[in-house]
Amino acid sequence: MVEDVTADVLDATTRYAASILAALPGRPVVPGGDVPTATDPLPVSGKGFAGALDLFARRWAPGFSASAGPRYLGFVTGGSTPAGIAGDWLAAVFDQNPAASDGSSASDLERETVRWLATMFGLGDAHAGAFVTGATMSNFVGLALAREWLGEQAGVSVADAGVAALGPVKVYSGAPHSSIHKALSMLGLGRDSLRPVPTLPDREAIDVARLAAELDGTPAIVVANAGTVNTADFDDLRALVELRSRTPFWLHVDAAFGGFAALSPSFAHLVDGLADADSICVDLHKWLNVPYDAAVQFTRRRDLQVKVFRNSAAYLGTPTENPDFVHLTPENSRRLRALATWFTLTTHGQDGHRRIVERTVDLAHRLGDLLADTPGVRLLAPVRLNVVCFTLADAPTPERVAEAARRIASSGDTFLTPTVYNGQPALRAAFSNWSTRPADLTTIHTAIANACKDL
Ligand SMILES: *Cc1c(COP(=O)(O)O)cnc(C)c1O
């Protein structure tokens, strides 16, 4: 009886999910029409699963975006490979809690997956890591380790004595992602601890000579970028590593999507030096194309990680050589989010994921070439990887650029997010979905060209 009900629920869901995924490429990228108001009362007596699925399909699903589909180019938004979806579904089916290793091999699956990722990003054995929910939490963990390291330099334990024991902290970065500010706020270091470092002309990459001039020998934190969201620019990691050998700082690299450059011999030079970073952030729900939410954090100083995140309780044991994840991440109980990654890496291999990276980069270059010849638009930066950054050729005021974004979205054919680059209102198209094909480019380009033409 229970088995029958379970099988019926899963069968109905499989059929529904398959129909949604089959229709995804043709679905309006951003839905038009009315959004339901969130006011239905709590169902006191249940409608049964068929009733729930029917209500969801009618009331909520039509308002969901096609962000998992091939033509959604806003933010940096991957979709999910079918293997990733299956892994994610099985994570719920087995419903493991890889906080601790007792009685389940789930933690070992996560360890294996983290090791695969370290290999894929060229990090070797020096880095250990763990799954977290996204690049924001991965940056948070990396900066928490940086904070503890600053304590070590000053002879205090921040984990025990609190951040006040540290005094003022200086965090240097060229073009930090917004999540760095948020992480500094959460960590008690404060948003004001961030010192912007000048970038190279027409670049979002740190001017390393200017950074060297700012550092005075007091231990500090440097947040480097491997892939900025506006123009996919990369700091010169090798030069930063060399600088660190002369003056003390913790080098954290936000490689949320740019880390994937390591997969292709054509782009791997962009992340040369990554393995020498002290901590590294890589998102997985973007370019790896696993479902939200998943990212990985790496560090060479797991001892500091245990100091910060140690969760001591009699029944959890003390951290050992090979600490349980409960002692490594902000969460205690946690989902086996490594399983989606394990499935997609096992199904497609490093080669399959390299091909996704190379294909999406190629598409970005092609769109860049098309836009270079499109009246009414102007490229703002060369296409370095998977992001195309452009603006209106005439009077790119914030209002007009926002209007262009609205028109593009209302076409239903693609979705781009506005930004400000170098003080100029701009639009950016980021390619990271496994299913985007060259045929999609015509639709995408036409939507952009039409929206910008008679503005
Ligand atoms: C997306 C992104 C983040 C934040 O990632 P979330 O997954 O949204 O937490 C941080 N840094 C960079 C460079 C990003 O692209």
Side-chain angles (χ1 to χ4, degrees):
M1 178 60 194
V2 173
E3 298 78 47
D4 288 351
V5 171
T6 304
D8 287 349
V9 164
L10 296 184
D11 282 347
T13 308
T14 303
R15 281 193 304 276
Y16 176 67
S19 74
I20 292 295
L21 292 174
L24 188 56
R27 191 184 171 103
V29 173
V30 182
D34 293 337
V35 177
T37 48
T39 51
D40 262 14
L42 166 71
V44 175
S45 53
K47 297 177 194 299
F49 182 75
L53 185 58
D54 177 62
L55 182 62
F56 169 76
R58 282 187 295 110
R59 182 154 179 264
W60 287 108
F64 284 12
S65 74
S67 56
R71 284 176 283 103
Y72 187 99
L73 308 179
F75 311 99
V76 181
T77 307
S80 184
T81 62
I85 295 173
D88 195 62
W89 197 1
L90 289 174
V93 169
F94 282 93
D95 201 17
Q96 302 292 286
N97 179 2
S101 310
D102 318 40
S104 168
S105 57
S107 296
D108 287 319
L109 182 142
E110 179 164 340
R111 290 191 182 99
E112 175 173 276
T113 312
V114 169
R115 211 178 55 244
W116 290 354
L117 291 167
T119 305
M120 211 166 87
F121 299 124
L123 307 181
D125 293 334
H127 283 270
F131 273 71
V132 288
T133 50
T136 301
M137 283 315 283
S138 181
N139 282 327
F140 172 84
V141 172
L143 292 173
L145 306 182
R147 188 183 65 176
E148 202 60 28
W149 176 82
L150 287 176
E152 189 180 73
Q153 303 309 298
V156 296
S157 162
V158 178
D160 292 331
V163 72
L166 213 48
V169 167
K170 290 181 182 169
V171 183
Y172 296 94
S173 191
H177 186 266
S178 55
S179 61
I180 298 297
H181 304 258
K182 182 171 176 168
L184 292 173
S185 163
M186 290 194 285
L187 286 163
L189 295 173
R191 295 173 195 262
D192 290 350
S193 61
L194 200 60
R195 312 281 155 129
V197 183
T199 51
L200 297 168
D202 288 326
R203 295 281 304 277
E204 288 184 296
I206 287 183
D207 183 333
V208 179
R210 300 282 292 273
L211 172 64
E214 300 238 2
L215 295 166
D216 60 5
T218 314
I221 301 172
V222 173
V223 178
N225 285 305
T228 57
V229 285
N230 279 340
T231 65
D233 208 346
F234 287 73
D235 287 331
D236 184 340
L237 301 179
R238 185 52 70 201
L240 292 174
V241 167
E242 196 276 324
L243 179 61
R244 190 189 53 185
S245 68
R246 288 185 277 129
T247 182
F249 58 83
W250 178 275
L251 179 59
H252 173 76
V253 182
D254 180 353
F257 67 92
F260 284 83
L263 269 69
S264 169
S266 312
F267 322 124
H269 64 276
L270 294 169
V271 286
D272 180 35
L274 185 66
D276 289 316
D278 297 298
S279 55
I280 300 165
C281 151
V282 186
D283 232 333
L284 301 172
H285 51 221
K286 290 176 178 166
W287 226 349
L288 191 72
N289 282 267
V290 292
Y292 292 104
D293 44 18
V296 62
Q297 60 73 218
F298 294 106
T299 183
R300 301 150 65 85
R301 290 293 310 272
R302 196 161 63 177
D303 58 322
L304 294 179
Q305 190 161 354
V306 172
K307 284 196 172 127
V308 176
F309 294 105
R310 177 165 45 96
N311 187 75
S312 296
Y315 65 94
L316 286 170
T318 41
T320 58
E321 263 303 270
N322 194 10
D324 283 338
F325 288 108
V326 70
H327 302 300
L328 294 173
T329 60
E331 305 86 6
N332 277 1
S333 293
R334 48 208 292 284
R335 168 184 175 75
L336 184 57
R337 52 173 61 79
L339 194 53
T341 294
W342 187 95
F343 260 91
T344 200
L345 289 178
T346 303
T347 302
H348 302 289
Q350 179 169 354
D351 273 350
H353 280 278
R354 171 180 55 74
R355 283 193 294 272
I356 293 173
V357 168
E358 290 176 344
R359 200 163 64 223
T360 39
V361 170
D362 178 57
L363 289 165
H365 279 277
R366 291 194 204 196
L367 181 65
D369 291 345
L370 288 169
L371 291 179
D373 292 332
T374 303
V377 306
R378 180 164 61 87
L379 286 182
L380 283 178
V383 178
R384 296 195 178 89
L385 199 62
N386 60 332
V387 178
V388 188
C389 186
F390 64 96
T391 193
L392 297 170
D394 300 319
T397 60
E399 296 74 26
R400 281 166 51 79
V401 171
E403 175 59 18
R406 261 193 305 278
R407 288 191 189 187
I408 292 167
S410 70
S411 72
D413 287 334
T414 189
F415 178 78
L416 274 50
T417 32
T419 187
V420 175
Y421 170 64
N422 239 343
Q424 305 196 60
L427 290 167
R428 42 182 294 295
F431 290 82
S432 40
N433 190 294
W434 67 280
S435 67
T436 312
R437 291 289 179 275
D440 292 307
L441 268 189
T442 316
T443 315
I444 291 166
H445 175 247
T446 305
I448 297 172
N450 285 344
C452 298
K453 192 167 57 190
D454 5 270
L455 245 180

